[in-house]
Amino acid sequence: MSNLTPAQRVTIARHEGRPGVADYIEHLFTDFFEQKGDRQCREDPSILGGIALFHGKPVTVIGTRKGKNLQENLKCNFGMPGPEGYRKALRIMKQAEKFGRPILTFIDTPGAYPGLEAEARGQGEAIARNLFEMSQLSVPIVAVITGEGNSGGALALGVADTVLMLENAVYSILSPEGFASILWKDSSRSGEACELMKLTAEDLLEQKVIDAIIPEPEGGAHMDVEAQMAAVDQALTAALNSLQKISDISIAGQRYKKFRAMGGNGYYDGN
Amino acid sequence: MIPVFNKRRKHMLAMKAMREGQIPAASPVEVTCPKCQTATARQQLSRNQYVCPNCGHHFPIGAYFRLSLILDSGSFRELDENLTSADPMEFPGYSEKLDQCRQKTGLSEAVVTATGRIEGRKVAVAVLDSRFLMGSMSAAVGEKVTRLIEHATRNRLPVVIFSASGGARMQEGILSLMQMAKTSAALARHSQKGGLFISVLTDPTTGGVTASFASLGDITLAEPGALIGFAGPRVIEQTIGQKLPEGFQRAEYLEEHGFVDQIVPRKQMRAVLAQLLTLHYRGGAAQ
């Protein structure tokens, strides 16, 4: 594991050349069929999802999408989904359950979009509903934090049986800028925030928030995309193989226990 | 023997509630309404359940005071009273801040959980308290709420949660975020077993609490004028670069947009909760 500072990892995690969900779909899956729309009011391109074959087996694949160039960035709202995106994701996850397909999610988002319309259409409710429903799904779920996983906007695709994280990815309560802004009313102190937030893959593995770290090529995933794809492929295959040994009936129970235990070192029970 | 215990418990809640009568704390004798600027004697305001007698503005109230307004007298049984944050990230200055908060509020954490009765019907109830680090969700808050829900599921009790929160507890980082999944998962199980959950949104309910348990009620109520949202108004204004419309993210706005069943003034809350418990009462079962 390379000795980068948390702030340096944040920079790598946000690198514009870093592979995103569209790249993973292109390299690791075949026969991808995109499913659009929340069936209520809108298609939200900041989440990409559909059905595909992973090593010949049907899976549902979903990820937050930032886009590759400015035009795409704008269309995808820089990877910040609105409630419609989360509702689309939930719709296709429920379908995955119906057809017995495992669910694979790829997470790389600055957070859920803090906008007027997002609020009017229930951003909070949409995220909450995903947490609620994902905790009960009877198919295996594997989540990969590929870039930055910020706030409830990331967790809304992250209630998984196995949570994997790329070596230089970060996963946190909020962006370091937002964190510094809330805590010290000064977003320019984000570097300092990075040091305190324990947002690196190593920190999170120690806290048992994630289950395994996927290694990256020297300098980051963008330096050797092929090698990165192979590493992610290997980790996903291993995760799915071990999850498929668990019965449909007990998988949600096991997932419950996993999240039930989170934060167990965070309180003192004086009763 | 039982009446003596009851008397003592009743006394305890009343005492704790009385101590909390000291909010808002600016002046000991008179409180000025932030909405209509009318000054009201503190005693009168307290008798009026901290609702401005002139304009109806609902002041924030403490958890024990809230419970004293809702529960049948003598029915309050607090759960996990001494479960507190362990400062898991060893965040600079956090444990001092927690100590200050504990001293200032008399609370051990930002939520009080209890069982009690409303018009004779037993409920499991949680009340978040915005005086304690803005009612933010620590691992301890998540654990207390989850234990309450699990207790209710096991004992077939309805759950009532009064939310008031600025969102995540920054000083606990990712563990705070994970409490969203933990509490939501507990509610999913409660729901699957046919359990009732009534979510009451009070001023303010934002961030990670809005994006988890507060939004998952079978029935969702809100206090008049309460600020309810995922992102805070300041963040949204910065993002979209314009002023937000009057009334945006207030309880009435959420009702209009389909996210709240009813807005219930504080003085009617106990009666409405009693009505909902009656409407969900199944024969001899607890709910």
Side-chain angles (χ1 to χ4, degrees), chain B:
Chain B
M1 195 174 107
I2 288 162
V4 176
F5 275 122
N6 277 352
K7 200 174 171 189
R8 201 181 57 156
R9 285 204 177 95
K10 178 181 170 186
H11 187 61
M12 267 170 55
L13 181 59
M15 284 251 298
K16 286 179 160 176
M18 213 163 67
R19 276 211 301 268
E20 280 181 357
Q22 303 304 321
I23 4 162
S27 147
V29 281
E30 227 177 45
V31 181
T32 304
C33 175
K35 206 169 157 195
C36 71
Q37 313 302 327
T38 306
T40 309
R42 180 175 290 278
Q43 252 190 346
Q44 194 197 346
L45 197 60
S46 175
R47 271 199 305 273
N48 208 36
Q49 304 189 359
Y50 279 91
V51 176
C52 174
N54 182 49
C55 74
H57 170 70
H58 284 51
F59 287 83
I61 53 174
Y64 291 112
F65 188 74
R66 170 85 64 187
L67 285 160
S68 75
L69 300 179
I70 294 300
L71 296 178
D72 296 355
S73 95
S75 72
F76 170 74
R77 306 277 183 282
E78 185 160 0
L79 303 171
D80 301 307
E81 189 179 352
N82 298 310
L83 201 152
T84 58
S85 170
D87 186 12
M89 312 235 307
E90 295 171 352
F91 198 87
Y94 180 40
S95 68
E96 293 76 21
K97 209 160 192 178
L98 285 169
D99 281 342
Q100 279 168 17
C101 263
R102 287 177 193 132
Q103 278 176 11
K104 195 184 78 189
T105 62
L107 298 166
S108 56
E109 249 299 342
V111 66
V112 174
T113 57
T115 60
R117 290 180 185 274
I118 299 175
E119 300 283 358
R121 299 213 198 278
K122 206 167 174 193
V123 292
V125 55
V127 183
L128 278 79
D129 193 315
S130 63
R131 293 170 308 150
F132 197 103
L133 289 170
M134 271 314 291
S136 55
M137 182 124 84
S138 61
V141 168
E143 181 66 20
K144 285 180 84 170
V145 169
T146 304
R147 284 189 189 184
L148 179 83
I149 297 164
E150 288 177 339
H151 174 83
T153 310
R154 272 196 306 276
N155 295 286
R156 303 185 58 78
L157 299 177
V159 176
V160 180
I161 302 180
F162 288 85
S163 292
S165 178
R169 180 83 50 91
M170 291 298 141
Q171 297 89 339
E172 296 194 14
I174 196 85
L175 295 183
S176 171
L177 187 70
M178 292 303 136
Q179 304 313 306
M180 294 167 62
K182 184 163 117 183
T183 52
S184 300
L187 282 173
R189 282 197 151 188
H190 184 69
S191 180
Q192 204 192 27
K193 296 262 180 320
L196 169 67
F197 170 39
I198 302 171
S199 177
V200 188
L201 312 174
T202 72
D203 189 49
T205 299
T206 61
V209 166
T210 299
S212 63
F213 59 82
S215 292
L216 295 169
D218 297 299
I219 306 285
T220 305
L221 309 176
E223 280 199 334
L227 179 79
I228 303 156
F230 175 64
R234 198 168 51 97
V235 177
I236 300 170
E237 280 184 345
Q238 277 169 8
T239 307
I240 64 175
Q242 61 191 67
K243 276 262 165 230
L244 293 166
E246 181 77 25
F248 179 69
Q249 288 185 318
R250 295 290 164 184
E252 296 72 16
Y253 179 91
L254 266 89
E255 187 184 50
E256 230 173 83
H257 284 78
F259 291 97
V260 167
D261 286 292
Q262 284 187 28
I263 293 171
V264 180
R266 191 169 289 165
K267 285 183 182 169
Q268 291 164 29
M269 191 61 80
R270 179 175 145 87
V272 170
L273 289 175
Q275 180 195 3
L276 286 167
L277 295 176
T278 300
L279 291 170
H280 288 84
Y281 187 73
R282 298 187 200 134
Q287 49 182 275

Side-chain angles (χ1 to χ4, degrees), chain A residues 119 198 256 260 266 268-270, chain B residues 84 86 143 150 230-231 249:
Chain A
E119 292 291 320
K198 301 213 165 90
Y256 185 80
R260 178 69 187 82
Y268 171 72
D269 190 352
Chain B
T84 58
E143 181 66 20
E150 288 177 339
F230 175 64
Q249 288 185 318

Side-chain angles (χ1 to χ4, degrees), chain A residues 128-142:
Chain A
R129 191 61 56 191
N130 279 21
L131 307 181
F132 181 96
E133 296 286 348
M134 282 184 89
S135 75
Q136 292 276 323
L137 292 175
S138 62
V139 291
I141 309 173
V142 181

Side-chain angles (χ1 to χ4, degrees), chain A residues 109-186:
Chain A
T109 176
Y113 185 60
L116 192 148
E117 284 180 350
E119 292 291 320
R121 294 191 190 128
Q123 186 74 286
E125 195 274 344
I127 294 169
R129 191 61 56 191
N130 279 21
L131 307 181
F132 181 96
E133 296 286 348
M134 282 184 89
S135 75
Q136 292 276 323
L137 292 175
S138 62
V139 291
I141 309 173
V142 181
V144 191
I145 322 281
T146 64
E148 51 179 342
N150 291 342
S151 91
L155 184 63
L157 295 180
V159 185
D161 303 294
T162 306
V163 181
L164 306 170
M165 199 164 155
L166 265 60
E167 188 184 329
N168 294 314
V170 292
Y171 190 15
S172 60
I173 183 84
L174 196 62
S175 70
E177 292 80 3
F179 187 89
S181 165
I182 287 189
L183 218 49
W184 306 310
K185 311 266 174 268
D186 183 0

